[in-house]
């Protein structure tokens, strides 16, 4: 992080800190080809290409985490995700007290399969770092009553 004083916290979902193996970029390229023509006009292909190129060039940041991150981090992973072990490694590597991890049961893609639980976790994280101290939470009541 070049400017850690400008960051309140980071929320990551199904992340990895290792070097790119190229599989993600291949899947991204395949998805772009399969997008309908109507949606393709909305997509900024130049930005997608820049993202893919940056992803290919990334290095292993696991050893540098404690040197560069001095703010709160929330790691979210699905228990069926292939990134769960990577997220566990990142959680163990981070300094105690800076990093929290939430494992969402029975999902691989938490943002797609359990958006309400992810939203509540992000809201609680924001409250914990002092960004939304007076926010009323309705999610927990909805999820607790719907599970009965």
């Amino acid at each position: 992080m070049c400017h850690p004083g400008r960051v309140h916290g980071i929320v990551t979902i199904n992340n990895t800190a290792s070097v790119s193996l190229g599989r993600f970029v291949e899947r991204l390229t395949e998805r772009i080809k399969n997008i309908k023509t109507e949606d393709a006009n909305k997509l900024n292909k130049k930005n997608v290409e820049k993202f893919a190129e940056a992803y290919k060039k990334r290095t292993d940041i696991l050893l540098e985490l404690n040197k560069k991150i001095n703010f709160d981090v929330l790691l979210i992973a699905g228990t069926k995700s292939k990134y769960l072990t990577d997220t566990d490694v990142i959680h163990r590597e981070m300094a105690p007290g800076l990093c929290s991890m939430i494992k969402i049961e029975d999902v691989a893609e938490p943002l797609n399969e359990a958006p309400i639980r992810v939203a509540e976790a992000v809201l609680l994280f924001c409250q914990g770092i002092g960004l939304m101290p007076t926010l009323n939470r309705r999610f927990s009541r909805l999820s607790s009553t719907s599970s009965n």
Side-chain angles (χ1 to χ4, degrees):
M1 297 289 309
C2 296
H3 303 284
R6 296 180 185 174
V7 178
H8 291 284
I10 293 178
V11 176
T12 67
I13 300 174
N14 283 348
N15 60 326
T16 180
S18 60
V19 178
S20 169
L21 300 175
R23 295 181 299 221
F24 175 76
V25 176
E26 290 171 3
R27 285 194 317 256
L28 181 64
T29 307
E30 187 176 308
R31 283 185 180 176
I32 291 171
K33 289 178 184 176
N34 293 334
I35 292 177
K36 296 178 182 176
T37 55
E38 299 166 1
D39 294 333
N41 293 335
K42 297 176 187 175
L43 187 66
N44 188 336
K45 291 183 181 180
K46 185 177 178 182
N47 284 348
V48 173
E49 289 171 5
K50 285 183 179 183
F51 172 75
E53 191 62 33
Y55 193 88
K56 282 188 234 178
K57 291 181 181 178
R58 77 184 194 157
T59 59
D60 191 3
I61 62 166
L62 195 57
L63 302 174
E64 299 177 17
L65 286 177
N66 286 325
K67 296 176 197 171
K68 294 189 174 192
I69 295 181
N70 58 359
F71 42 80
D72 290 326
V73 177
L74 175 62
L75 305 171
I76 300 174
T79 56
K80 292 182 179 180
S81 172
K82 62 183 174 184
Y83 298 108
L84 183 61
T85 55
D86 291 340
T87 306
D88 279 330
V89 170
I90 293 169
H91 186 251
R92 283 193 304 271
E93 189 67 31
M94 293 288 295
L98 283 181
C99 186
S100 301
M101 181 173 173
I102 296 177
K103 295 178 185 178
I104 299 181
E105 296 291 324
D106 299 325
V107 298
E109 296 288 336
L111 199 55
N112 293 334
E113 298 173 39
I116 292 175
R117 288 189 267 175
V118 172
E120 185 173 8
V122 171
L123 288 174
L124 290 173
F125 177 72
C126 290
Q127 281 185 324
I129 59 176
L131 293 179
M132 296 185 227
T134 60
L135 184 69
N136 292 328
R137 290 182 20 224
R138 293 185 303 161
F139 291 112
S140 59
R141 287 187 180 180
L142 290 174
S143 61
S144 65
T145 56
S146 65
S147 63
N148 289 336

